[in-house]
Amino acid sequence: MNNFDFTSKELEPVIFEVIEKKGCFRLFPKGESMRPFIKEGEDSVLLVAPENLKKYDIIFYKRPKGQYVIHRIIKVKGDSLTLSGDNQFFKEEGVKRDSVIAKVGGIYKGERLINVNKTGYRIKAFLWVNTKLLRHGFGGIVRRIKKCLIFKGK
């Protein structure tokens, strides 16, 4: 299989066309914001039509300034979505549905496809999103304690 690098801007019309004709498009995302669920250089995503968007879905969308992003929906209120990367704390509120290009229908771990609509995966996503503050908060406390102990030991 040949790999080619394109910008997301170059790919946007191609993604729309391929999803419309074939039903899906495989994309190799870059960045760390969706770790550990999506790892750059290891994983790829299967993009599908952005239908029936709901909490815990992962979407590929375009920000008003033109940046293309893959993040998880953490809240849906009417036409407005609140999003966050799995590896981030900040929430991006007020994202409009019409900025969504595609929804992630699956994640490839190598050549193994994980169906993100299966109950087991959705439970993992629920637990990850709802324990993020606890996990990061606890880790922050442990790091601060370690720093204090190292400092006192000098």
Side-chain angles (χ1 to χ4, degrees):
M1 177 170 73
N2 293 329
N3 290 327
F4 301 96
D5 283 333
F6 295 96
T7 66
S8 296
K9 185 176 182 179
E10 293 170 320
L11 278 180
E12 185 179 352
V14 175
I15 291 170
F16 280 125
E17 184 178 342
V18 171
I19 288 174
E20 185 176 293
K21 289 181 178 177
K22 303 279 187 182
C24 60
F25 183 93
R26 191 168 177 180
L27 182 74
F28 295 81
K30 295 187 178 198
E32 301 295 317
S33 70
M34 286 302 292
R35 280 182 141 323
F37 285 89
I38 302 171
K39 297 176 184 172
E40 178 182 353
E42 295 178 31
D43 303 334
S44 59
V45 295
L46 190 67
L47 300 178
V48 297
E51 298 169 348
N52 305 318
L53 297 178
K54 55 191 174 294
K55 191 173 184 177
Y56 308 120
D57 283 346
I58 301 171
I59 59 170
F60 178 59
Y61 66 104
K62 184 177 179 180
R63 289 182 172 149
K65 292 186 178 180
Q67 184 182 17
Y68 293 85
V69 183
I70 293 178
H71 276 171
R72 188 178 304 280
I73 298 172
I74 56 174
K75 184 177 180 182
V76 177
K77 188 173 183 181
D79 190 41
S80 180
L81 307 170
T82 300
L83 310 172
S84 183
D86 287 341
N87 194 27
Q88 297 179 323
F89 275 115
F90 93 92
K91 296 176 184 176
E92 188 171 353
E93 298 178 340
V95 176
K96 299 296 177 201
R97 286 179 188 258
D98 63 1
S99 66
V100 178
I101 296 164
K103 179 167 80 169
V104 173
I107 299 171
Y108 281 97
K109 300 286 185 182
E111 291 304 313
R112 184 174 61 99
L113 179 62
I114 296 169
N115 183 339
V116 298
N117 296 309
K118 294 255 179 171
T119 303
Y121 177 86
R122 292 198 70 84
I123 290 170
K124 285 180 188 177
F126 167 83
L127 291 171
W128 186 262
V129 169
N130 290 292
T131 62
K132 189 185 293 190
L133 185 60
L134 179 66
R135 282 182 287 105
H136 287 284
F138 181 72
I141 291 168
V142 169
R143 283 189 297 279
R144 283 189 218 110
I145 291 170
K146 283 182 180 178
K147 281 183 182 178
C148 288
L149 293 174
I150 291 169
F151 182 71
K152 287 182 179 183
K154 287 189 175 182

